[in-house]
Amino acid sequence: MINIALQGAEFFAYHGFYPEEQKLGCRYLVDIEVGFVPQAAIMADELDNTVDYEKLYIIACEEMKHTRKLIETVGQGILDKIIGKYPFVKTIHVAIKKVNPPLMGKVAHSSVVISYPSAI
């Protein structure tokens, strides 16, 4: 099995349950890890034989542009798009961190992790 990962992809987006969050926006960090068994010889040195991390970044970019109330929904959207693009993947972990969430005290980030296959 091969794992491909992006760590700390940074976005400014407008997710949040409260209207103020959707208006003001916030900084987010996205981590994506995808595990797969290569469909062809990896030694062929061809991008088509692997998961392209640039495409993972583009998928995250597209999903972060769609304002949602819950970062869980954003994470699930990223996961679903990865499965659609790479149906041969065996595992996916998407973590989204909301940096400095608007709470009554100082918090580095809130986060959600969505995994495939689901443990449920």
Side-chain angles (χ1 to χ4, degrees):
M1 176 114 77
I2 294 176
N3 288 327
I4 300 288
L6 290 177
Q7 300 292 321
E10 191 170 325
F11 300 93
F12 193 88
Y14 299 88
H15 309 300
F17 182 76
Y18 299 105
E20 306 84 50
E21 293 177 287
Q22 293 186 8
K23 184 177 179 182
L24 297 174
C26 190
R27 201 167 63 105
Y28 294 85
L29 300 174
V30 177
D31 300 333
I32 302 171
E33 184 173 339
V34 177
F36 66 99
V37 175
Q39 300 298 292
I42 206 68
M43 292 306 293
D45 204 26
E46 295 294 330
L47 192 55
D48 290 340
N49 296 343
T50 189
V51 173
D52 182 349
Y53 59 79
E54 181 179 20
K55 299 280 193 264
L56 296 180
Y57 181 81
I58 290 168
I59 288 169
C61 240
E62 290 171 357
E63 288 300 307
M64 291 301 288
K65 289 178 186 175
H66 300 290
T67 299
R68 302 276 187 349
K69 290 181 182 176
L70 303 175
I71 56 176
E72 291 90 329
T73 308
V74 180
Q76 188 66 52
I78 292 170
L79 189 143
D80 290 344
K81 291 271 173 73
I82 293 169
I83 293 170
K85 177 84 176 153
Y86 300 104
F88 57 88
V89 299
K90 301 293 183 198
T91 62
I92 304 171
H93 300 285
V94 176
I96 301 177
K97 299 171 186 157
K98 186 174 196 171
V99 179
N100 298 318
L103 299 171
M104 295 187 332
K106 184 174 169 100
V107 175
H109 65 265
S110 58
S111 66
V112 64
V113 177
I114 310 282
S115 297
Y116 168 84
S118 172
I120 298 175

